[in-house]
Amino acid sequence: MPCRVESPNLVKIYKKYHPKGLEILSVSLDDLSQKSAWLAAIRKDSLSWTQVSDLKGGDNEAAQLYGIQSIPENFLIDPGGRIIALSLRGEELDKKLETIFTK
């Protein structure tokens, strides 16, 4: 549920910045028992970007690789693959993207 609170903001940001080059990759930490609910949430929240999950819940390999211990979490990665910001939400994320895409 914490992730879904941020979904409307991400939908708005994706519509605004995707035409300028923003891509979003969402990694779910749901497990196999939650698969149907996860897929339903994607549809209900109109999340049109790529969604992935290994359905291992807290043992998700991406979460372990990047040290994610709570959600939602995000990483802003530049075209060179460098992490340039972490944990931005709401207006803070929009402002950061605005500085990037208006250069």
Side-chain angles (χ1 to χ4, degrees):
M1 190 55 132
C3 297
R4 295 194 61 201
V5 171
E6 184 67 6
S7 290
N9 182 57
L10 290 177
V11 168
K12 181 180 92 175
I13 282 174
Y14 189 71
K15 286 179 182 177
K16 183 176 179 180
Y17 295 107
H18 178 68
K20 298 177 180 188
L22 176 70
E23 294 295 340
I24 296 177
L25 171 66
S26 289
V27 179
S28 169
L29 299 186
D30 290 313
D31 62 30
L32 187 57
S33 70
Q34 300 164 313
K35 182 178 179 181
S36 294
W38 168 57
L39 295 173
I42 292 168
R43 286 187 299 277
K44 184 175 182 183
D45 293 355
S46 301
L47 307 181
S48 59
W49 53 86
T50 303
Q51 307 283 325
V52 299
S53 180
D54 60 12
L55 298 172
K56 294 181 181 178
D59 293 326
N60 178 286
E61 291 181 32
Q64 290 184 5
L65 180 65
Y66 289 96
I68 298 168
Q69 298 186 4
S70 64
I71 54 173
E73 179 59 273
N74 65 48
F75 300 85
L76 192 54
I77 302 171
D78 74 6
R82 292 179 303 265
I83 297 172
I84 57 173
L86 298 167
S87 306
L88 300 177
R89 291 188 188 81
E91 192 172 320
E92 187 179 27
L93 176 59
D94 189 36
K95 285 180 182 180
K96 180 66 174 178
L97 291 171
E98 187 175 334
T99 64
I100 291 168
F101 288 111
T102 58
K103 288 183 180 180

